[in-house]
Amino acid sequence: MTEENKDVPVEADDEIFPVEPRYHPTHNIPRKVYDLLASARLAMALLLAILVCCLCGVTLWRGERAWVLIFSSLWFNALLVMLVINIACCFFGRIWGRRITVISFGMILFHLSFVAIMGGIVFNSLFYFRGIIRLTEGEVLASGDPQSYDTIDKGRFFSFSRIKGETQLIKMHIGYKIGGDDKRAAYEVVVGERVDKQQGVIYITHKLTHKGVDYFIDKEGFSLLVTLANTQGQELYGGHLPLQSIQQKDGSYFNTTGYKDAGVVIPSQFTFPAPPEKPLIALQLAYQPSKENPSLSLK
């Protein structure tokens, strides 16, 4: 009785990863495109190009200029998208059809995380928005109006139509405490549209999130309500005037009307009421908070 020898098939996990992907599209043109996207040479070229861009962004140009010229540009984000597609085709095409083990699952999880992180970077650089909106108690400003913001920093494809409703500062709470911890100052705000508003209190370690938009404290300051009245006591005009903070040598702050020039606050006068109203006086105000009696600190 003879026994016939048969070749024992080698498990796929015992093989060395093939140079070419295991998975290929069936049609000729998609196959060539896929082979190009799954090329290791393309991956090296993309990594080298991104490395050169990053080096230029921290040496030749820095800060905001590097962000405008390189990191927020369409061509740089296109390089990142191509790298994500290339890594996906390179790895997942080669692991296609293999038996799932602990090691292969870890590799899949790592590459999926890398693709998700790179995709998030691209999305954030093109669609992000950061803005500083300044409010006094009782003031309401349209959240989707660029004129409501002091400073705006946004991605190339961001649209203000994504921000709906209004932002209102109801009240500032001094000495606000949570569980016995003094949060110093807190702000009660209302955000959103009329039919979908959300109210909350924000302080230095707590923000309010509404429909994917975070509201938090950036700076604290003072605004003075100034009114004009005639001899009969009838109010003719009124407005909140924001003050710039100037740090003194003793560490305290002196708040005054003025403007910033090269990072330095310069106290100055301005016409009041502001145009398009007819200006009546030249006004300069200053305020230095007093612990004993804040109402007597106005100058």
Side-chain angles (χ1 to χ4, degrees), residues 149-197:
Y149 297 86
D150 289 347
T151 60
I152 293 175
D153 185 17
K154 64 184 182 68
R156 187 180 298 269
F157 296 138
F158 175 81
S159 174
F160 276 97
S161 61
R162 297 180 56 189
I163 306 181
K164 306 292 185 181
E166 301 171 332
T167 303
Q168 177 183 4
L169 175 58
I170 299 177
K171 186 176 179 58
M172 174 184 177
H173 301 276
I174 300 176
Y176 191 77
K177 293 185 178 181
I178 296 292
D181 296 332
D182 188 4
K183 302 301 181 180
R184 197 169 61 83
Y187 301 84
E188 188 174 354
V189 297
V190 174
V191 298
E193 300 177 271
R194 294 182 178 179
V195 296
D196 186 19
K197 285 190 174 183

Side-chain angles (χ1 to χ4, degrees), residues 112-174:
L112 283 176
S113 301
F114 182 82
V115 169
I117 292 173
M118 295 297 292
I121 292 174
V122 173
F123 181 84
N124 182 68
S125 64
L126 296 178
F127 295 93
Y128 79 96
F129 172 77
R130 289 189 294 269
I132 296 179
I133 187 169
R134 181 169 46 187
L135 295 167
T136 56
E137 287 188 359
E139 188 176 9
V140 182
L141 291 177
S143 303
D145 185 1
Q147 300 299 323
S148 300
Y149 297 86
D150 289 347
T151 60
I152 293 175
D153 185 17
K154 64 184 182 68
R156 187 180 298 269
F157 296 138
F158 175 81
S159 174
F160 276 97
S161 61
R162 297 180 56 189
I163 306 181
K164 306 292 185 181
E166 301 171 332
T167 303
Q168 177 183 4
L169 175 58
I170 299 177
K171 186 176 179 58
M172 174 184 177
H173 301 276
I174 300 176

Side-chain angles (χ1 to χ4, degrees), residues 93-112:
R94 285 167 171 78
I95 205 171
W96 186 269
R98 290 182 174 272
R99 182 165 56 89
I100 300 297
T101 63
V102 175
I103 296 177
S104 63
F105 178 76
M107 294 176 63
I108 293 173
L109 186 61
F110 169 79
H111 284 81
L112 283 176

Side-chain angles (χ1 to χ4, degrees), residues 18-44 46 82 85-94:
V19 176
E20 296 296 330
R22 290 188 167 198
Y23 172 78
H24 287 279
T26 56
H27 298 288
N28 190 29
I29 295 179
R31 182 188 181 97
K32 291 182 178 180
V33 174
Y34 181 81
D35 288 340
L36 174 63
L37 295 177
S39 170
R41 293 183 178 180
L42 177 62
M44 295 302 296
L46 291 172
M82 285 294 298
I85 296 175
N86 175 256
I87 291 176
C89 292
C90 282
F91 176 75
F92 295 108
R94 285 167 171 78

Side-chain angles (χ1 to χ4, degrees), residues 56-299:
C56 293
V58 297
T59 55
L60 299 180
W61 304 285
R62 296 182 181 180
E64 184 177 354
R65 184 167 177 80
W67 177 259
V68 173
L69 294 179
I70 299 177
F71 300 120
S72 66
S73 63
L74 291 178
W75 60 266
F76 182 77
N77 284 278
L79 289 178
L80 297 180
V81 172
M82 285 294 298
L83 180 62
V84 170
I85 296 175
N86 175 256
I87 291 176
C89 292
C90 282
F91 176 75
F92 295 108
R94 285 167 171 78
I95 205 171
W96 186 269
R98 290 182 174 272
R99 182 165 56 89
I100 300 297
T101 63
V102 175
I103 296 177
S104 63
F105 178 76
M107 294 176 63
I108 293 173
L109 186 61
F110 169 79
H111 284 81
L112 283 176
S113 301
F114 182 82
V115 169
I117 292 173
M118 295 297 292
I121 292 174
V122 173
F123 181 84
N124 182 68
S125 64
L126 296 178
F127 295 93
Y128 79 96
F129 172 77
R130 289 189 294 269
I132 296 179
I133 187 169
R134 181 169 46 187
L135 295 167
T136 56
E137 287 188 359
E139 188 176 9
V140 182
L141 291 177
S143 303
D145 185 1
Q147 300 299 323
S148 300
Y149 297 86
D150 289 347
T151 60
I152 293 175
D153 185 17
K154 64 184 182 68
R156 187 180 298 269
F157 296 138
F158 175 81
S159 174
F160 276 97
S161 61
R162 297 180 56 189
I163 306 181
K164 306 292 185 181
E166 301 171 332
T167 303
Q168 177 183 4
L169 175 58
I170 299 177
K171 186 176 179 58
M172 174 184 177
H173 301 276
I174 300 176
Y176 191 77
K177 293 185 178 181
I178 296 292
D181 296 332
D182 188 4
K183 302 301 181 180
R184 197 169 61 83
Y187 301 84
E188 188 174 354
V189 297
V190 174
V191 298
E193 300 177 271
R194 294 182 178 179
V195 296
D196 186 19
K197 285 190 174 183
Q198 183 174 351
Q199 182 172 343
V201 177
I202 59 176
Y203 44 89
I204 193 64
T205 57
H206 181 72
K207 64 182 180 180
L208 174 66
T209 301
H210 179 69
K211 291 190 173 181
V213 180
D214 294 333
Y215 297 83
F216 55 90
I217 299 173
D218 181 71
K219 296 179 181 178
E220 296 178 357
F222 294 92
S223 294
L224 302 178
L225 174 61
V226 180
T227 60
L228 285 177
N230 57 21
T231 55
Q232 289 75 34
Q234 181 184 5
E235 292 186 357
L236 303 177
Y237 185 85
H240 283 95
L241 304 178
L243 304 181
Q244 304 282 2
S245 296
I246 306 176
Q247 188 172 14
Q248 307 298 299
K249 293 181 179 180
D250 60 357
S252 62
Y253 284 88
F254 182 72
N255 304 277
T256 181
T257 53
Y259 62 94
K260 287 187 177 181
D261 186 12
V264 180
V265 178
I266 301 177
S268 63
Q269 296 179 346
F270 62 96
T271 56
F272 188 82
E277 300 291 335
K278 182 181 178 180
L280 299 177
I281 60 174
L283 183 64
Q284 180 177 349
L285 298 173
Y287 179 80
Q288 190 160 10
S290 171
K291 294 182 180 180
E292 292 77 16
N293 195 342
S295 62
L296 299 180
S297 301
L298 184 62
K299 298 181 180 180

